[in-house]
C-alpha cells in the first residue's frame, strides 16, 4: 500500500473514531457522574481563583470524598474550561482528546513495532496491522465508552501508548531526547490514574527487557532520562507511602474481608484471593458478555469487546505464541500479564476501568487475527469479509442504537441523572426563599450545586431537620411517597416511567 | 516420574467433582429461556417509543435476541472460575495447553479434531436439552472432552524440555488447586442449584 493512501485511510479511521467519541457527548452519557462533577468543580476553582474547593493553592493531589484525586485531568479540565466555560463538554474534553489521540498513538506504535521487527521474523499477514489495529480500537466499545466521559484512565492510556512509542523510536534511532520524552509521558501516567503507581514499574521492566535484549541500547545513555524520571516520581512515591496516598487502597482492598483471619489462613487466603481476582479479568463473560456489571462502565447486556472479535482475539493470541515476532511477543504478552496486576489487589474484580489498557494489546491481537484469517481464506475472501463485515456492522449499529436510544434513560441514575434539572429548577425558586435546604439522601447534591450553580449554596440536612420558625424554606428531597400540598414542584427523570427524582417542598 | 505426575490432573478432576454432588442442576444462566427473552424484548420495545417501527423490529426481535442469548450463555461455560470448579487449576492449565498444543503440533490428527469439536459443541447441547439426568453425570459427560484435552495437555506439557521446571510448575498448580477448593468451595453455589 502506498504511504499516501495509508495516511488517507488513517485519517478516515481517526475521523470515524472522533465522531464515535464526540457525537452528542454532552447529553450521552446522560449527566455528569459524581467524580466528573467533583473534578470539574475543582478545575473551575483552580482556573478562576487558583485554589481547589478546600482552599489549597495549586495542589498536587486533590482531596475528594475521603480520598485524593490525581492532578493531570483536573488541570487539563481547567484549560478546557478557559475556552468552553464550566460546561459538561469542557469536563469531558480531555478524555475525548486523549481517546482520539490514542488512535494515532496506536497506529504509530504498531508501525514502529513492525519497523523494528525484521521481515524474516514476522508473520506475513502483519503488513496492514497498524491500520487494522487502529480501526479495531476506533470502533471498540470499551474504548469508545471511556473516551466519552471524564475518566482519568483514558488520559493515562494515551500517555502510555505515546510513552511506549517514543521509547521504541528512541531505542531504534538512538535518540536520548525521545527516550526522555517517553520517560516523562510514562511518569505522567502515574500522576493521571492511581493504578499506574503499581503498573508503571512492571511497564518499565518490559521496556528494560526490550532495551537490553533487542536494541542492546547502552545503559550509560539511559541514565539521564532515568534520573529525571526518578526525580519526577519522588512526589508520587512519597504520596503513595503516606497515609493519604493509601486511603483509597485500604477502602477497596480485596483482602480487607480476611483481615480478622488467623495468620496461617491469611497465608493461603491472600494469594488465592489474588489469583481468583486476577483470572476473573480474562473471563470471556467479562470481556464479551456484560463487562463488570457497573452501569457507568458499559451498557447493560453489552460486553467490552464485540462478540465477533472473540475468534480473532484467540487467533491473534495464538499467533503471538509462535516462535516469530519477539518484540510483539514481549510487549503484547507482557502488557496482558501486567495490566491486571494492580487491579486484582482491589475490589470489585473484574473492573473494566482499571484494566482499560487491555484495549491496546487486544486491539492488536484482534487485528492480527483478522489479517491472518483473511490471508488464510484468500480464495473466498470477499464472501467471508462480507459475512464478518455484516456481523460487525450489525453489532456496531445495534450498540449505537442502544447507546443513543436506551442507555440515556435506562442508566440515568449511574450518571447523576436528574441533578442538573434539580439545580436548574432550584434557581427558578431561589429568590423567593430565605433558606434552601437539600435532603442528604440526595447524595452528593452539594457538589452538583457547586458545579452547576455555586451561588445557590444550599444547606444539606437530614430527614430529622426542622425548618427554623419565621423563615421561608425551600426543601428539596427525594420522593418518599408522601402526599402533601406543600409540594410545589417535582423533578422527573426522562425514563420510561417518568420517575420522580426530587420534590420541592415549601415549608 | 513424569507418568506418576499424570495422577495430578486426575486428582484435580475428581476433587472438584465432589462439589457437584450437592447440586441438582446448573444455574439458570446456563440455560436458554424464551420467556425471559420475551420480557426483555417487550421492555426494549417500550423504551423505543417514538422510534421508526422498522428500526425497532430490526434491533429487537427474537432472532437477534436468541442469537445473542446463545452466544452469551455459551460463554458462561468458558468462564474461567466456573472451569476451575470443574477442572481445578491443574486441569484448566492442561486444557489451555492441550488446545494450544493441538493447534501448534497436532492439527493433522483427526481424532483430536473430533474431540475438539465435541469440546465446543457439548455446552450447546446442555443449554437447550432438558433431560432429567443427575447433575454429576451431566457434568461428567458435558466436560468429558475437556477432561481428555486437559489430561493430554498435561501429558504434552510434561513431555517437553526442562522437566524439573515443568514438574515444579504442576506441583505449584496442584497446591493452588487444593487451596482454591478448601477456601472457595462456598462460591461454587453461584453456578448450580441445590
Amino acid at each position: 500500500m502506498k504511504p499516501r493512501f495509508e495516511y488517507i485511510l488513517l485519517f478516515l479511521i481517526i475521523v470515524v473514531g472522533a465522531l464515535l467519541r464526540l457525537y452528542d457527548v454532552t447529553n450521552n452519557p446522560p449527566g455528569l457522574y459524581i467524580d466528573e462533577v467533583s473534578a470539574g468543580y475543582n478545575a473551575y476553582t483552580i482556573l478562576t481563583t487558583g485554589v481547589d474547593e478546600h482552599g489549597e493553592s495549586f495542589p498536587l493531589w486533590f482531596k475528594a470524598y475521603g480520598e485524593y484525586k490525581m492532578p493531570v485531568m483536573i488541570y487539563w479540565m481547567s484549560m478546557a474550561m478557559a475556552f468552553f466555560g464550566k460546561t459538561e463538554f469542557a469536563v469531558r474534553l480531555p478524555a475525548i482528546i486523549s481517546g482520539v489521540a490514542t488512535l494515532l498513538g496506536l497506529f504509530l506504535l504498531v508501525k514502529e513495532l513492525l519497523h523494528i521487527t525484521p521481515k524474516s521474523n514476522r508473520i506475513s499477514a502483519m503488513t496492514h496491522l497498524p491500520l487494522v489495529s487502529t480501526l479495531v480500537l476506533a470502533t471498540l466499545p470499551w474504548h469508545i465508552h471511556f473516551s466519552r466521559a471524564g475518566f482519568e484512565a483514558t488520559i493515562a492510556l494515551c500517555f502510555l501508548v505515546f510513552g511506549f512509542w517514543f521509547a521504541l523510536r528512541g531505542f531504534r534511532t538512538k535518540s536520548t531526547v525521545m527516550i526522555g520524552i517517553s520517560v516523562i509521558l510514562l511518569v505522567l501516567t502515574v500522576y493521571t490514574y492511581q493504578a499506574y503507581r503499581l503498573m508503571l514499574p512492571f511497564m518499565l521492566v518490559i521496556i528494560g527487557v526490550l532495551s537490553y535484549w533487542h536494541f542492546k541500547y547502552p545503559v550509560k545513555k539511559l541514565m539521564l532520562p532515568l534520573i529525571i524520571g526518578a526525580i519526577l516520581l519522588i512526589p508520587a512515591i512519597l504520596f503513595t507511602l503516606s497515609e493519604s496516598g493509601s486511603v483509597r487502597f485500604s477502602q477497596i482492598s480485596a483482602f480487607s474481608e480476611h483481615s480478622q483471619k488467623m495468620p496461617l489462613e491469611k497465608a493461603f487466603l491472600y494469594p488465592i484471593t489474588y489469583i481468583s481476582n486476577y483470572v476473573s479479568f480474562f473471563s470471556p463473560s467479562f470481556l464479551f458478555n456484560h463487562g463488570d456489571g457497573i452501569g457507568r462502565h458499559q451498557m447493560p447486556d453489552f460486553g467490552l469487546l464485540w462478540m465477533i472479535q472473540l475468534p480473532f482475539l484467540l487467533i491473534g493470541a495464538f499467533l503471538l505464541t509462535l516462535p516469530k515476532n519477539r518484540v510483539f511477543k514481549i510487549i503484547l504478552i507482557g502488557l496482558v500479564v501486567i495490566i491486571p496486576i494492580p487491579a486484582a489487589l482491589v475490589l470489585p474484580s473484574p473492573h473494566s476501568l482499571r484494566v482499560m489498557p487491555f484495549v491496546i494489546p487486544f486491539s492488536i491481537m484482534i487485528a492480527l487475527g483478522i489479517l491472518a484469517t483473511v490471508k488464510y481464506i484468500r480464495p473466498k475472501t470477499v464472501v467471508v469479509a462480507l459475512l464478518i463485515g455484516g456481523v460487525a456492522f450489525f453489532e456496531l449499529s445495534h450498540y449505537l442504537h442502544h447507546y443513543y436510544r436506551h442507555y440515556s434513560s435506562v442508566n440515568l441514575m449511574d450518571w447523576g441523572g436528574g441533578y442538573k434539572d434539580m439545580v436548574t429548577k432550584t434557581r427558578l425558586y431561589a429568590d423567593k426563599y430565605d433558606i434552601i435546604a437539600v435532603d442528604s439522601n440526595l447524595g452528593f447534591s452539594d457538589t452538583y450545586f457547586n458545579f452547576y450553580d455555586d451561588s445557590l449554596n444550599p444547606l444539606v440536612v437530614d430527614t430529622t431537620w426542622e425548618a427554623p420558625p419565621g423563615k421561608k424554606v425551600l426543601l428539596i428531597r427525594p420522593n418518599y411517597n408522601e402526599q402533601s400540598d406543600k409540594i410545589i414542584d417535582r423533578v422527573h427523570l426522562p425514563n420510561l416511567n417518568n420517575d420522580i427524582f426530587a420534590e420541592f417542598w415549601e415549608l | 516420574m513424569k507418568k506418576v505426575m499424570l495422577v495430578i490432573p486426575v486428582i484435580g478432576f475428581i476433587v472438584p467433582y465432589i462439589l457437584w454432588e450437592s447440586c441438582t442442576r446448573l444455574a439458570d444462566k446456563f440455560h436458554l429461556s424464551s420467556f425471559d427473552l420475551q420480557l426483555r424484548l417487550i421492555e426494549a420495545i417500550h423504551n423505543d417509543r417514538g422510534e421508526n417501527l422498522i428500526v425497532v423490529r430490526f434491533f429487537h426481535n427474537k432472532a437477534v435476541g436468541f442469537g445473542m442469548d446463545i452466544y452469551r450463555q455459551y460463554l458462561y461455560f468458558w468462564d474461567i472460575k466456573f472451569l476451575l470448579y470443574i477442572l481445578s487449576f491443574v486441569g484448566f492449565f492442561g486444557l489451555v495447553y492441550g488446545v494450544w498444543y493441538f493447534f501448534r503440533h497436532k492439527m493433522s490428527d483427526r481424532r483430536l479434531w473430533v474431540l475438539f469439536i465435541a469440546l465446543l459443541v457439548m455446552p450447546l447441547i446442555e443449554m437447550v436439552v432438558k433431560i432429567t439426568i443427575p447433575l454429576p453425570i451431566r457434568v461428567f459427560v458435558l466436560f468429558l472432552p475437556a477432561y481428555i484435552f486437559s489430561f493430554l495437555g498435561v501429558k504434552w506439557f510434561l513431555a517437553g524440555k526442562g522437566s524439573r521446571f515443568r514438574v515444579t510448575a504442576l506441583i505449584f498448580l496442584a497446591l493452588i488447586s487444593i487451596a482454591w477448593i478448601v477456601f472457595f468451595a462456598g462460591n461454587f453455589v453461584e453456578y448450580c442449584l441445590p
Side-chain angles (χ1 to χ4, degrees):
Chain A
M1 191 188 292
K2 285 183 181 172
R4 200 170 155 193
F5 186 57
E6 189 179 31
Y7 287 120
I8 291 171
L9 282 179
L10 173 68
F11 176 74
L12 291 175
I13 290 170
I14 290 180
V15 168
V16 170
L19 280 175
L20 287 169
R21 282 152 184 80
L22 205 56
Y23 177 70
D24 201 25
V25 76
T26 50
N27 298 317
N28 216 337
L32 296 178
Y33 81 101
I34 182 60
D35 284 358
E36 284 181 299
V37 167
S38 169
Y41 184 62
N42 277 304
Y44 178 71
T45 57
I46 286 286
L47 179 71
T48 52
T49 62
V51 294
D52 71 356
E53 63 177 316
H54 300 285
E56 201 169 322
S57 179
F58 294 104
L60 194 51
W61 321 105
F62 287 83
K63 198 174 174 186
Y65 297 108
E67 57 159 323
Y68 286 83
K69 290 283 173 197
M70 296 285 147
V72 170
M73 187 176 78
I74 296 176
Y75 283 108
W76 195 349
M77 272 182 196
S78 290
M79 286 185 251
M81 282 181 184
F83 294 98
F84 299 101
K86 195 171 56 169
T87 57
E88 284 101 342
F89 183 71
V91 168
R92 288 177 173 169
L93 192 61
I96 298 168
I97 293 174
S98 303
V100 177
T102 306
L103 302 180
L104 177 66
L106 180 68
F107 176 82
L108 295 171
L109 177 66
V110 181
K111 195 111 182 128
E112 191 58 38
L113 281 169
L114 280 186
H115 210 104
I116 55 181
T117 308
K119 273 193 176 163
S120 58
N121 196 19
R122 67 164 98 135
I123 300 159
S124 55
M126 280 178 162
T127 319
H128 303 302
L129 194 62
L131 268 186
V132 181
S133 306
T134 313
L135 180 64
V136 170
L137 184 64
T139 55
L140 205 67
W142 200 343
H143 194 248
I144 293 171
H145 194 93
F146 286 132
S147 302
R148 291 179 60 94
F151 288 108
E152 296 157 325
T154 317
I155 302 168
L157 179 67
C158 182
F159 292 143
L160 179 76
V161 172
F162 277 101
F164 264 84
W165 177 63
F166 272 109
L168 294 180
R169 204 170 163 81
F171 288 138
R172 181 169 63 84
T173 58
K174 306 266 184 281
S175 162
T176 312
V177 175
M178 287 217 173
I179 292 173
I181 296 171
S182 159
V183 168
I184 290 170
L185 287 168
L186 292 173
V187 168
L188 271 177
T189 61
V190 175
Y191 288 97
T192 308
Y193 188 53
Q194 308 258 15
Y196 284 83
R197 282 191 280 173
L198 207 62
M199 222 188 281
L200 186 66
F202 295 100
M203 301 279 183
L204 292 178
V205 169
I206 296 182
I207 293 175
V209 166
L210 279 174
S211 137
Y212 181 75
W213 269 1
H214 189 81
F215 295 100
K216 314 232 179 310
Y217 198 82
V219 181
K220 268 186 190 173
K221 276 189 153 187
L222 278 176
M223 290 316 284
L224 183 63
L226 284 179
I227 289 169
I228 292 171
I231 292 169
L232 292 174
L233 276 175
I234 289 173
I237 294 168
L238 292 176
F239 174 70
T240 304
L241 298 175
S242 72
E243 201 179 322
S244 318
S246 56
V247 168
R248 180 72 176 149
F249 178 72
S250 55
Q251 286 169 349
I252 56 174
S253 165
F255 311 113
S256 53
E257 62 177 311
H258 308 307
S259 58
Q260 305 300 322
K261 297 267 166 60
M262 301 293 286
L264 188 64
E265 266 185 294
K266 280 184 188 173
F268 284 98
L269 264 173
Y270 281 16
I272 290 294
T273 305
Y274 185 78
I275 291 168
S276 167
N277 288 347
Y278 186 88
V279 297
S280 69
F281 287 97
F282 297 96
S283 165
S285 296
F286 166 64
L287 295 172
F288 296 94
N289 268 2
H290 46 61
D292 58 16
I294 299 170
R296 208 164 41 233
H297 292 172
Q298 64 277 303
M299 282 198 296
D301 293 335
F302 279 87
L304 303 166
L305 307 173
W306 300 120
M307 292 176 171
I308 187 82
Q309 290 174 338
L310 173 61
F312 302 119
L313 179 64
L314 293 174
I315 293 168
F318 173 75
L319 290 175
L320 276 182
T321 63
L322 299 179
K324 288 181 173 183
N325 314 307
R326 191 170 67 172
V327 180
F328 272 90
K329 214 180 289 188
I330 292 172
I331 291 197
L332 299 186
I333 296 179
L335 282 176
V336 169
V337 171
I338 285 169
I339 288 163
I341 288 177
L345 288 169
V346 290
L347 291 176
S349 270
H351 189 282
S352 49
L353 186 63
R354 294 190 190 120
V355 289
M356 196 195 161
F358 262 158
V359 296
I360 297 305
F362 284 177
S363 293
I364 301 173
M365 285 181 195
I366 290 164
L368 191 57
I370 292 171
L371 289 170
T373 310
V374 169
K375 186 179 162 56
Y376 186 71
I377 46 123
R378 192 167 282 278
K380 292 169 189 163
T381 303
V382 178
V383 180
V384 178
L386 278 176
L387 197 68
I388 294 169
V391 177
F393 178 76
F394 177 79
E395 274 203 75
L396 180 62
S397 54
H398 191 217
Y399 176 85
L400 292 176
H401 170 77
H402 269 264
Y403 195 86
Y404 288 105
R405 289 293 307 188
H406 297 245
Y407 188 61
S408 57
S409 57
V410 175
N411 286 71
L412 198 63
M413 296 311 290
D414 290 311
W415 290 95
Y419 279 104
K420 188 182 179 182
D421 286 349
M422 182 182 82
V423 177
T424 313
K425 222 164 221 186
T426 308
R427 175 79 269 168
L428 299 175
Y429 292 103
D431 298 337
K432 299 174 194 163
Y433 295 91
D434 303 318
I435 297 172
I436 299 170
V438 187
D439 190 318
S440 56
N441 286 330
L442 283 168
F444 308 115
S445 54
D446 50 336
T447 311
Y448 281 93
F449 272 102
N450 283 341
F451 183 81
Y452 287 116
D453 194 339
D454 56 358
S455 64
L456 290 169
N457 219 2
L459 195 66
V460 180
V461 297
D462 61 22
T463 45
T464 59
W465 181 78
E466 283 180 21
K471 297 276 184 187
K472 219 174 165 195
V473 175
L474 177 70
L475 176 65
I476 305 158
R477 44 182 274 181
N479 174 25
Y480 291 124
N481 287 323
E482 288 175 33
Q483 296 300 323
S484 168
D485 53 4
K486 290 179 185 169
I487 300 172
I488 56 165
D489 206 345
R490 288 190 171 102
V491 175
H492 289 271
L493 295 174
N495 60 9
L496 201 60
N497 300 327
N498 271 335
D499 294 322
I500 299 166
F501 176 74
E503 291 174 340
F504 287 64
W505 288 57
E506 188 178 63
L507 303 180
Chain B
M1 178 66 175
K2 283 180 183 175
K3 281 185 181 171
V4 176
M5 290 301 291
L6 287 175
V7 177
I8 290 181
V10 178
I11 295 171
F13 304 149
I14 293 170
V15 174
Y17 188 75
I18 296 165
L19 293 171
W20 293 95
E21 289 283 344
S22 60
C23 298
T24 53
R25 64 192 192 94
L26 288 176
D28 287 340
K29 65 180 177 184
F30 291 98
H31 299 109
L32 278 174
S33 155
S34 58
F35 179 66
D36 183 42
L37 173 64
Q38 238 162 356
L39 290 178
R40 280 184 286 124
L41 283 178
I42 290 168
E43 194 191 336
I45 289 168
H46 274 279
N47 259 315
D48 268 342
R49 208 168 30 186
E51 182 67 271
N52 185 320
L53 196 64
I54 295 170
V55 174
V56 176
R57 295 309 293 168
F58 182 68
F59 290 119
H60 309 296
N61 58 67
K62 280 185 184 164
V64 170
F66 255 120
M68 290 177 73
D69 276 3
I70 288 171
Y71 183 96
R72 283 193 196 113
Q73 282 170 344
Y74 182 73
L75 287 192
Y76 282 129
F77 286 89
W78 302 105
D79 185 295
I80 297 176
K81 283 188 185 174
F82 173 65
L83 286 176
L84 291 177
Y85 284 115
I86 303 276
L87 303 165
S88 78
F89 274 87
V90 183
F92 178 70
F93 168 76
L95 178 66
V96 174
Y97 191 85
V99 172
W100 175 81
Y101 195 88
F102 162 59
F103 279 105
R104 184 83 182 84
H105 299 290
K106 301 265 182 188
M107 285 224 327
S108 55
D109 190 332
R110 284 184 184 175
R111 287 169 305 174
L112 286 177
W113 269 109
V114 172
L115 194 66
F116 181 69
I117 291 166
L119 179 74
L120 297 183
V121 171
M122 291 305 259
L124 290 171
I125 298 170
E126 172 64 24
M127 274 160 60
V128 291
V129 176
K130 287 171 184 160
I131 311 169
T132 44
I133 299 173
L135 189 67
I137 298 171
R138 279 176 94 112
V139 166
F140 179 75
V141 175
L142 179 62
F143 287 98
L144 188 58
Y147 290 137
I148 298 171
F149 248 117
S150 172
F151 183 80
L152 288 173
V154 173
K155 189 178 155 218
W156 290 330
F157 177 71
L158 286 170
K161 286 177 189 169
S163 60
R164 190 177 292 175
F165 164 75
R166 287 165 193 265
V167 170
T168 313
L170 272 190
I171 291 172
F172 176 70
L173 286 173
L175 290 175
I176 295 176
S177 301
I178 294 165
W180 170 261
I181 294 298
V182 170
F183 291 108
F184 285 85
N187 295 358
F188 159 78
V189 290
E190 183 188 331
Y191 300 104
C192 76
L193 298 173

